[in-house]
Structures are given as structure tokens and as C-alpha cells.
Amino acid sequence: MDTHVQPRKTPARTPARTPARPLSRAPRALLAAGAAAFTLTAGLATPLNPAPHEAKAADGGKKVLTVALAQSVDSLSPFLAQRLVSTSIHRMMYEYLTNYDPKDNHTVPGFATAWKPSADKLTWTYTIRSDSKWSDGKQATAADAAFTFNKMMTDEGAATANGNFVSNFRKVTAPSPTQLVIELKKPQATMAALDVPIVPEHIWKDVKDFSKFNNDKTFPVVGNGPFVLTDYKVDQYVKLKANKSFWRGAPKFDEVVFKTYKDQDAAVAALRKGEVSFVAGSPALTPAQAASLQGEKDIKVNEGPGRRFFALAVNPGAQTKDGKKFGDGNKALLDQKVRHALFMSVDRKTIVDKVFQGHAVQGAGYIPPRFADYFWKPSGSQALGYDPAKAGKLLDEAGYPMKNGHRVGKDGKPLDLRILCHATDPNDKAVGKYLKEWWGKLGIGLKVDCRDDISVPWYAGEYDLAFDGWSVNPDPDAVLGLHTCAALPVKARETAQTDNFICDNTFDGLYAKQLAEYDPAKRADTVKQMESWLYDSGYMNVIAYPNAVEAYRTDQIKSIRTMPTAAGNIYGQDGYWSWWSAVPADGTGDAGSGGGSTATGVIVGIVAAVVVLGGGGLLLARRRRTTADDRE
């Protein structure tokens, strides 16, 4: 679940917990007309300057694929990272036990070649491949996987990003170099979808504090994925070289560089000038940016169904795991009628048409329609459709009558709310303007509180609502786990896996039920019940599922794999398929086949919409909601 949109994590807890939101660990410009009027600028954020219109660097004729991003790395530690850019890089650096096939998301071998449960489903045995080596030449073994999981089970810092995957583990051992055994407390259906990067024990065993170690001081960074991280400069670039001994086959490009720009317009300008090979939005290009690239010589625009959602999240009352309340969320939002009234005065169609300009799908359930098995929509009688008149009646019933144009509570105070907004996200701002207008007509005041870093008020519980969103993984467990009681912080104002402090016994019961259910159809039914509960609760209002929109230069990249291969995204995949498969424009042949699919050219789509402009800042050892897609 890479961005909370922070999800973070694609939950990498996305979900990679992405979120971006988000989802980032969730997870959206001025009004649509304003977005369309954005002008492209040529300002660059880094002195790196690859030769225009070439995929070949000057030093030794290396084939370099440069990816322009308007998002900063939060951490190069796979135990801490939750932003989509970071979790995407970790998928390139480290193997997971399993991977997802780029064609249809079914599970395929990764670090493990086979896996099998015991009859009672409480013990899982994985066969670890014998042909994987760490980039320093040492053999990668089951002991490395055991070390990774055990560290997450015993060290709170190591469990920051992906601890949900191991919370049900009882014991993890490596009886031999090629055998990993995981014993569970209860059956767990996600055992073939553990989105956890495996790290080398001989490197990480000397780390003293996993909560502060960012893995960004010694290069090259030892890994066993298709690429090796060789250099990094905060808010400038990340360089990775091809791992020529990668078991699945060496990448065709010698190097991939993720280059950070101060804003997305500058990144688009760099693509147009040939200074970069590929431009990814955060998570998408704006309609104006994509339209400006459409038809340009040697440039292709790709659009595919997104793997994330754009939503409003309510503060239901911040609390710790032991039930201690904190924060200053408006108590009016504890009333379900008030929450429903707010959401019934949100016109999703207008937002999709005017803000996303049609390049998104109207929101419903928590899981995007790209994941058809888990996609859910409310029934006609259940749907909280756009109905301002009914919303007004609900507010009356809740004890907030209209007086002199304002809703007033029993204490005589007007009903005024705050919503956290990402200062760099034009979609947040655009939707915020609509909300201020719509809720104002209901008599509710709204302050759109836009900040560069919204993590501080979010984790302090000092907000009423927030723009939220996550990149969702093929297995929905991680994003659903964000709303369980177990995800709450141990201490007030501390980072945790929670998204917005939801804790409910009914939801937790359904979560435990889906986690233990091995029958796909039955599990999907339970997941949909969870989505129904979230919808009815009014704590989460999924407004839209934005499309993925990106562009690349055909004079630098001959072909590159999308996920799904039929029509999907290139950047932010549930795997490393795009960068591993990419073929230089003057290259011959495709990268070795893997996961049952062959490399394909990019599907060129219609221009789409949604932007999250760059989030800067130093590396953090906690999830930050600084962009709209912090989680894988």
C-alpha cells in the first residue's frame, strides 16, 4: 500500500501500508480551470543533466533511464519507508518472498520458489531459491528472511512500516539455507502476499536503532534485487545500477536515476527537452500537462486505471491503544448523522468532472475497481448520494439547527470545521474550495488548512477532517489493517500504523475473519462487509479513484511493461517489472521474461488527471503525510 497518501504503503504496510495514502501510509488545481491554466516551467531542482534525447550517459556509454519525480524519498530503510517513491525503489533493491504477476496480479515466485501450509494452516514452509546472491557476493539465504521477520517481531522501530504483516507470527526459523518456516498464532490468508523487503543479515545485524537508521550513508547499498542503489542526495536524486547477476535476468538499462524536481511542471519541461526519459506524476500528470505532451515528437502519454483512492477522512476522536483520548477533534463529528450530512453534501460527479476532468472514477468502496475481486459499491438504499436537502434535515435531527445562516449546537457555538490539506496538492485545494461552498450552504464553516507537512497535526489528533488516500496492493489486508484497534499508537502524538484513529470491535472482528479465511470468494465477501461498514460509519468518504497518467520518451525507451500489461501504470507498480523490463531505444530484445508475462510496449491512453506536487524535506523515521501518495 505504497502514499498515505500517504500507502503509504504502494500497505508497502503501498498496503506498500503507497497510502499514501497512503499510504503513505495514503493515498489528491485550484478549480479545474485553474489547473488547466498551469504553465510549464523550466526550473530544475538538481545539477544532474543527462544528455538531451539520448538514453546514453556520457561516462562510458552507459544506458541510463532517468525518471523525473515531484516527490521526495522519506527513507531508504525498508523498515521505515512508506512513500510510493521509496517503496518502489525498495522493490528494485530487495527481493520479497513472493511477487505479483504483471499480467493479472496472481502470486509468482520471488525470493521463495515455493510455499506450503501445514494441514492446520498454522505453519508455512517456504523453499528459498539457491540462485540469489547479495550484491557484495555473499549468498542470500533463508537466514536473511528469518532475520528480517524476527527483527520486525521484536523491534518496534523495525515494525514501523510493515509490522502488520508479522503481528500474527509466533515464530520464524531457518532450518537450512533454503528453508524458511513461519509459525502462526492463527491462520493467515496473506502468507503468499507478505509485502516485506528481505534484507541481508550480515549488513543489518549491526544496526543499533532501526527507528533512526535511514540506510543512506554507505554506498553501494547491499541488496539482491534487479538493481543496486549506488548514490543518493536528499531531494536531488537516487541512482541505481543494474544487477548483472540478478537471478531473473539482468535489466537492459545500465542505470536508473530517480531525479527529484521542485515541482511537476519542471519535471514535464525536462521530459520535453529530453533531459529525462520518463515523467511520473505524484501520482499523475495534470490534464494540462498531459495534453501539452500529447502529440509531441518522441513522447508517449500512458493512462491506466489507478491503484489508489482519493478520500476525506474524519477524526473520530484520537486515542491510544489503551483508550486515552487526545487531540482536539470537533465532537460534533462523533455523531454519525453529522458525518453523513457532510458526505451527502459532497457532489462526487462534479469533483470527477471539474477537478479530475473526467479522468477518474467516482468513489464508492475502499478498494479501487482495478481490484475487481474486492471492489464494492453501496446498494441504492445504502448510498449516501448528493442530497443537500436531506443533509440539512440530518443536521437538524442531530441538534444543529440553522440560526442566522449558521448551524449552531446546544452550546450556542457555530459548527465550524477544519480540514487538513497538502499545500503542494492542487486537487486538495480545488476540492477544498468546493467543500467550503457546499458545506457553507448547509451553514457549516470550513477552514481549509493547507500545510507543507500535515503529519504533526495529524498524529497529534489536532484536526477535524483530512484529505486522505492510499495506493492499494493486490491483497487488501494492509490498507484494511490501518483501521483496526491494533494500529493505534502506544503513546499520544506518536507515529503509528493507524490512518485516522478508527477502533471498532465490529470492524476488528471482520478484519480477523478475512485474515483467517483461505477461500477467496468467502474472504472477498468479508472484505466487502468491511468496506460496507467503513462506508456506513461515515469515517471515510472515498470521492474518486484517479487514473494513472505518465509519459516517456520513445527515443530513449523502446518498450516498457505496464501493470496490468493490458492497460496499466508504469510508475508505482506492485513489483519492479517496468524498470526491469525497459529496453533502450537502440537496444535489441526485451528483458528476460518473468512471472509468466512478456515485456510489452506502453499502452498509450487518453490524457488523465490528478496531481500531487512535490513534497520536500529531510529523511524521516516516521510516516509523513507531506504528499498525497506517501504509501505504496
Side-chain angles (χ1 to χ4, degrees), residues 361-614:
V361 177
Q362 286 188 47
Y366 194 62
I367 309 299
R370 169 166 165 168
F371 305 105
D373 290 345
Y374 299 109
F375 179 60
W376 171 89
K377 295 177 67 174
S379 62
S381 59
Q382 184 182 14
L384 299 172
Y386 181 57
D387 192 338
K390 188 173 181 179
K393 292 179 181 178
L394 286 176
L395 290 171
D396 289 336
E397 294 173 9
Y400 294 91
M402 183 81 84
K403 292 184 179 180
N404 300 320
H406 297 283
R407 293 284 171 177
V408 179
K410 294 178 181 179
D411 58 3
K413 294 181 179 180
L415 181 55
D416 293 324
L417 302 173
R418 306 156 296 173
I419 185 167
L420 287 176
C421 156
H422 301 82
T424 55
D425 188 345
N427 289 328
D428 280 12
K429 294 177 181 178
V431 176
K433 287 180 178 290
Y434 278 112
L435 295 181
K436 194 165 187 175
E437 175 187 346
W438 292 333
W439 292 351
K441 290 179 180 178
L442 281 179
I444 298 173
L446 180 66
K447 176 184 178 182
V448 182
D449 186 8
C450 295
R451 306 192 185 194
D452 291 330
D453 179 4
I454 68 174
S455 64
V456 174
W458 196 308
Y459 282 108
E462 295 172 351
Y463 69 101
D464 301 322
L465 301 105
F467 289 104
D468 195 11
W470 288 90
S471 293
V472 179
N473 290 349
D475 190 291
D477 175 79
V479 285
L480 295 173
L482 300 173
H483 302 302
T484 61
C485 300
L488 294 174
V490 174
K491 296 180 181 179
R493 298 173 178 268
E494 284 193 353
T495 183
Q497 293 182 331
T498 188
D499 194 16
N500 59 327
F501 303 103
I502 295 175
C503 178
D504 182 90
N505 289 335
T506 298
F507 187 85
D508 272 23
L510 290 170
Y511 176 80
K513 183 179 179 181
Q514 67 81 29
L515 185 61
E517 180 56 69
Y518 283 86
D519 182 283
K522 291 180 179 179
R523 185 177 181 224
D525 181 66
T526 302
V527 168
K528 291 175 183 178
Q529 291 179 51
M530 297 175 73
E531 295 182 78
S532 178
W533 183 93
L534 272 176
Y535 186 91
D536 288 342
S537 74
Y539 291 134
M540 292 290 296
N541 180 14
V542 178
I543 295 176
Y545 312 108
N547 289 348
V549 195
E550 51 210 353
Y552 75 103
R553 294 199 64 93
T554 57
D555 56 354
Q556 296 188 24
I557 302 174
K558 176 183 178 182
S559 66
I560 190 168
R561 178 176 289 154
T562 61
M563 184 178 186
T565 51
N569 57 297
I570 297 170
Y571 172 69
Q573 295 181 357
D574 302 293
Y576 44 66
W577 308 112
S578 53
W579 316 122
W580 172 76
S581 72
V583 177
D586 61 350
T588 57
D590 293 332
S593 62
S597 298
T598 58
T600 64
V602 173
I603 304 299
V604 180
I606 303 172
V607 178
V610 62
V611 61
V612 178
L613 297 184

Side-chain angles (χ1 to χ4, degrees), residues 3-6 20 23-24 82-83 624 627 629-631:
T3 316
H4 224 77
V5 263
Q6 252 51 332
L23 160 331
S24 115
Q82 299 192 44
R83 287 187 186 173
R624 294 186 59 189
T627 72
D629 197 24
D630 283 37
R631 271 304 289 206

Side-chain angles (χ1 to χ4, degrees), residues 256-268:
V256 174
V257 178
F258 289 91
K259 186 177 178 183
T260 305
Y261 283 79
K262 62 184 179 182
D263 63 52
Q264 193 162 286
D265 284 339
V268 171

Side-chain angles (χ1 to χ4, degrees), residues 74-75 80 83 214 453 455 618-624:
D74 56 341
S75 178
L80 301 177
R83 287 187 186 173
N214 278 308
D453 179 4
S455 64
L618 298 178
L619 293 178
L620 299 180
R622 60 190 175 93
R623 186 176 68 178
R624 294 186 59 189

Side-chain angles (χ1 to χ4, degrees), residues 155-170:
D155 187 311
E156 186 177 340
T160 299
N162 299 305
N164 61 296
F165 288 112
V166 302
S167 61
N168 184 43
F169 287 13
R170 182 186 301 280

